Amino acid sequence: PTFYAYAYPAPEGFAQAKVRPEAASWFEPLGEFVLPYEAVRTSPDPEATLMAFLDSTFEAAARLGDWDRSLECMRGLKGKPHAID
């Protein structure tokens, strides 16, 4: 099992982006970053490990893809549903 993250179309340089945690890597056959489930499961802080992966891959895609960051929504709080106005 693995967690994965991709951007489509992938912006130039996405495959070479530095992402966290160290166990994450680019998997060329699928054209996406992967993070083995085992790395998350055995981490001292699994939630932080997974969030580092998700945040860093999102940031790489947004930066390299020159996304309009004003369109992003605020992240919700742990344990509370995100309110939609």
Side-chain angles (χ1 to χ4, degrees), residues 13 28 38 61 73 77:
E28 187 61 41
E38 191 67 11
C73 64
L77 300 174

Side-chain angles (χ1 to χ4, degrees), residues 18-45:
K18 301 272 193 250
V19 299
R20 300 181 320 272
E22 195 172 301
S25 62
W26 180 256
F27 188 63
E28 187 61 41
L30 295 178
E32 60 194 26
F33 284 100
V34 294
L35 175 63
Y37 172 80
E38 191 67 11
V40 176
R41 188 187 72 76
T42 59
S43 169
D45 188 346

Side-chain angles (χ1 to χ4, degrees), residues 9-77:
E12 189 171 329
F14 187 56
Q16 293 77 37
K18 301 272 193 250
V19 299
R20 300 181 320 272
E22 195 172 301
S25 62
W26 180 256
F27 188 63
E28 187 61 41
L30 295 178
E32 60 194 26
F33 284 100
V34 294
L35 175 63
Y37 172 80
E38 191 67 11
V40 176
R41 188 187 72 76
T42 59
S43 169
D45 188 346
E47 184 175 347
T49 298
L50 180 56
M51 286 309 299
F53 177 68
L54 299 174
D55 285 340
S56 66
T57 53
F58 177 88
E59 183 60 36
R63 181 175 40 83
L64 294 167
D66 197 28
W67 293 356
D68 182 350
R69 305 302 290 268
S70 70
L71 299 175
E72 293 177 29
C73 64
M74 192 174 68
R75 181 182 293 169
L77 300 174

